[in-house]
Amino acid sequence: MFAVVSEPIDVAAIAREVRTDACGAVVTFAGVVRERSDDDRPVTGLSYEAHENMAAEEFERIAAEARERFGSCAISVVHRIGDLAVGDVSVAVAVAAPHRSAAFAACEYAIHELKRRAPIWKKEHYTRGDSEWKTNPDRANSP
């Protein structure tokens, strides 16, 4: 599954989707809205916008690259858009592979590349009532 969704993400369901009896490892990553920004301002939530079709296509390309680099594995990537509260899951990646090293490596590669390449934008909302669109440092530092 490669999707951009507006409803809450069920990380366990995404993990079940990639798991097969051929795989001895299932690794999941869940990005969760935290209560403080990188510069330590209190946050009430986030808003995400995306070019949905382009993002899902990029997720598929990233998964294909991960399989090429790390071997046979099943990968699912889901990112949420809209308004999210502290504690909500904003992104989930699940990878199933025959061995744990490949599953961990593919999962890390997928989330890193998603943050760097996917057409998704984040706005932080602060407790004092203001908001700010955030630049993704992974994208800024990409080649």
Side-chain angles (χ1 to χ4, degrees), residues 8 10 40 60 67 69 78 82 88-89 94-95 110 120 124 137:
D10 182 343
D40 206 38
E60 289 185 56
R67 285 189 291 274
R69 288 173 177 247
V78 179
D88 287 347
V89 174
V95 178
I120 299 170
E124 288 182 340

Coordinates of all heavy atoms in Angstrom, one line a residue, residues 8 10 40 60 67 69 78 82 88-89 94-95 110 120 124 137:
P8 N -7.1 8.6 10.3 CA -6.0 8.1 11.1 C -5.4 6.8 10.5 O -6.0 6.0 9.8 CB -6.7 7.7 12.4 CG -7.9 8.7 12.5 CD -8.4 8.8 11.0
D10 N -3.5 3.3 10.9 CA -3.5 2.1 11.7 C -2.2 1.4 11.4 O -2.1 0.6 10.4 CB -4.7 1.2 11.5 CG -4.7 -0.1 12.3 OD1 -3.7 -0.4 12.9 OD2 -5.8 -0.7 12.4
D40 N 11.8 24.1 20.2 CA 11.3 23.9 21.6 C 10.0 24.8 21.9 O 9.7 24.9 23.0 CB 12.4 24.2 22.6 CG 12.1 23.5 23.9 OD1 11.6 22.4 23.9 OD2 12.3 24.1 25.0
E60 N 6.1 4.6 -4.2 CA 6.3 3.4 -4.9 C 7.8 3.3 -5.5 O 8.4 2.3 -5.5 CB 5.3 3.2 -6.1 CG 3.9 2.9 -5.6 CD 3.0 2.7 -6.7 OE1 3.2 1.8 -7.5 OE2 1.9 3.4 -6.8
R67 N 14.0 -2.2 -2.4 CA 14.1 -3.6 -2.8 C 15.3 -3.9 -3.6 O 16.0 -4.9 -3.4 CB 12.8 -4.1 -3.6 CG 11.6 -4.2 -2.7 CD 10.4 -4.9 -3.4 NE 9.9 -4.0 -4.4 CZ 8.9 -3.1 -4.2 NH1 8.5 -2.9 -3.0 NH2 8.5 -2.3 -5.2
R69 N 18.2 -2.3 -3.4 CA 19.3 -2.1 -2.5 C 19.4 -3.2 -1.5 O 20.5 -3.7 -1.1 CB 19.3 -0.8 -1.8 CG 19.6 0.4 -2.6 CD 19.3 1.7 -1.8 NE 19.6 2.8 -2.6 CZ 20.6 3.7 -2.3 NH1 21.4 3.5 -1.3 NH2 20.9 4.7 -3.1
V78 N 2.4 5.0 4.1 CA 1.2 5.8 4.2 C 1.5 7.1 4.9 O 2.1 7.0 6.0 CB 0.1 5.0 5.0 CG1 -1.2 5.8 5.1 CG2 -0.2 3.7 4.3
G82 N -4.0 16.8 6.3 CA -5.1 17.4 7.1 C -4.5 17.9 8.4 O -3.3 18.0 8.6
D88 N -1.0 12.1 17.3 CA -1.5 11.4 16.0 C -0.3 10.9 15.2 O 0.8 11.5 15.2 CB -2.3 12.4 15.2 CG -3.6 12.7 15.7 OD1 -4.1 12.0 16.7 OD2 -4.3 13.6 15.2
V89 N -0.5 9.8 14.5 CA 0.5 9.3 13.6 C 0.4 10.0 12.3 O -0.7 10.0 11.7 CB 0.3 7.7 13.4 CG1 1.2 7.2 12.3 CG2 0.5 7.0 14.7
A94 N 6.1 0.3 6.8 CA 6.2 -1.1 7.3 C 7.0 -1.9 6.2 O 6.7 -1.7 5.0 CB 4.9 -1.7 7.5
V95 N 8.0 -2.6 6.7 CA 8.8 -3.4 5.8 C 8.9 -4.9 6.3 O 9.2 -5.1 7.5 CB 10.2 -2.9 5.7 CG1 11.1 -3.8 4.8 CG2 10.2 -1.4 5.1
A110 N 13.5 4.1 3.3 CA 12.2 4.6 2.9 C 11.8 5.8 3.6 O 11.3 6.8 2.9 CB 11.1 3.5 3.1
I120 N 5.2 16.7 0.1 CA 4.3 16.9 1.3 C 4.9 18.1 2.1 O 6.1 18.2 2.2 CB 4.4 15.6 2.1 CG1 3.9 14.4 1.3 CG2 3.6 15.7 3.4 CD1 4.1 13.0 1.9
E124 N 3.3 23.9 11.4 CA 3.2 23.7 12.8 C 2.3 24.8 13.4 O 2.3 25.9 13.0 CB 4.6 23.8 13.5 CG 5.5 22.7 13.2 CD 6.8 22.8 13.9 OE1 7.2 23.9 14.3 OE2 7.4 21.7 14.1
P137 N 14.4 19.8 6.7 CA 15.9 19.8 6.7 C 16.5 18.7 5.8 O 17.5 18.8 5.2 CB 16.4 19.7 8.1 CG 15.2 19.3 8.9 CD 13.9 19.6 8.1

